[in-house]
Amino acid sequence: MATETPPPATPGTTLPTAEEFTQVQQSADFAELRRAHRSFAFPLTIAFIAWYLLYVLLSSYADGFMGTRVVGNLNVALVLGLAQFLTTFLIAWWYARHAATELDPKAAAIKSRMESAE
């Protein structure tokens, strides 16, 4: 829930004004940060949704294929279902790594410049 109350400032610092936030939002550095996030998150989100929908469609319409035994009592449906969980964890790990190496340094640089401009 959004409120009009700004976050508490650390002692000895002032919060940037709305104009300063707008200026940073229109800067090339912020555009690069936004591009780095979007170029990673959007394609991966689309790919995961497509992968999930493929699993749902196969489960609904390809009973024979999904019921094919792989090893013992494990069938294709169970293997693909477990792969959904594995994919989720891999994407979360990959995003955390991407954020730590690509996004966080850019965001920290922007934050540092905003704090030093005060």
Side-chain angles (χ1 to χ4, degrees):
M1 181 165 103
T3 64
E4 295 298 320
T5 306
T10 54
T13 62
T14 58
L15 292 174
T17 64
E19 292 80 24
E20 291 170 323
F21 276 115
T22 302
Q23 185 179 18
V24 167
Q25 184 182 12
Q26 295 170 351
S27 71
D29 291 337
F30 191 79
E32 173 59 27
L33 175 63
R34 192 171 43 236
R35 187 210 57 77
H37 170 70
R38 289 178 177 173
S39 67
F40 183 88
F42 288 175
L44 217 52
T45 300
I46 291 167
F48 183 78
I49 290 171
W51 158 229
Y52 175 74
L53 290 176
L54 174 67
Y55 175 72
V56 170
L57 290 172
L58 286 173
S59 296
S60 297
Y61 300 108
D63 295 340
F65 171 70
M66 295 297 270
T68 304
R69 291 183 185 267
V70 177
V71 175
N73 287 332
L74 295 178
N75 61 14
V76 172
L78 184 59
V79 170
L80 292 180
L82 293 173
Q84 290 284 321
F85 287 102
L86 178 64
T87 305
T88 301
F89 290 115
L90 284 174
I91 289 172
W93 168 79
W94 194 13
Y95 180 78
R97 195 174 118 210
H98 172 73
T101 59
E102 297 291 326
L103 304 179
D104 292 348
K106 291 174 184 171
I110 292 170
K111 179 182 178 205
S112 174
R113 276 195 300 278
M114 284 189 78
E115 290 176 344
S116 67
E118 296 173 7

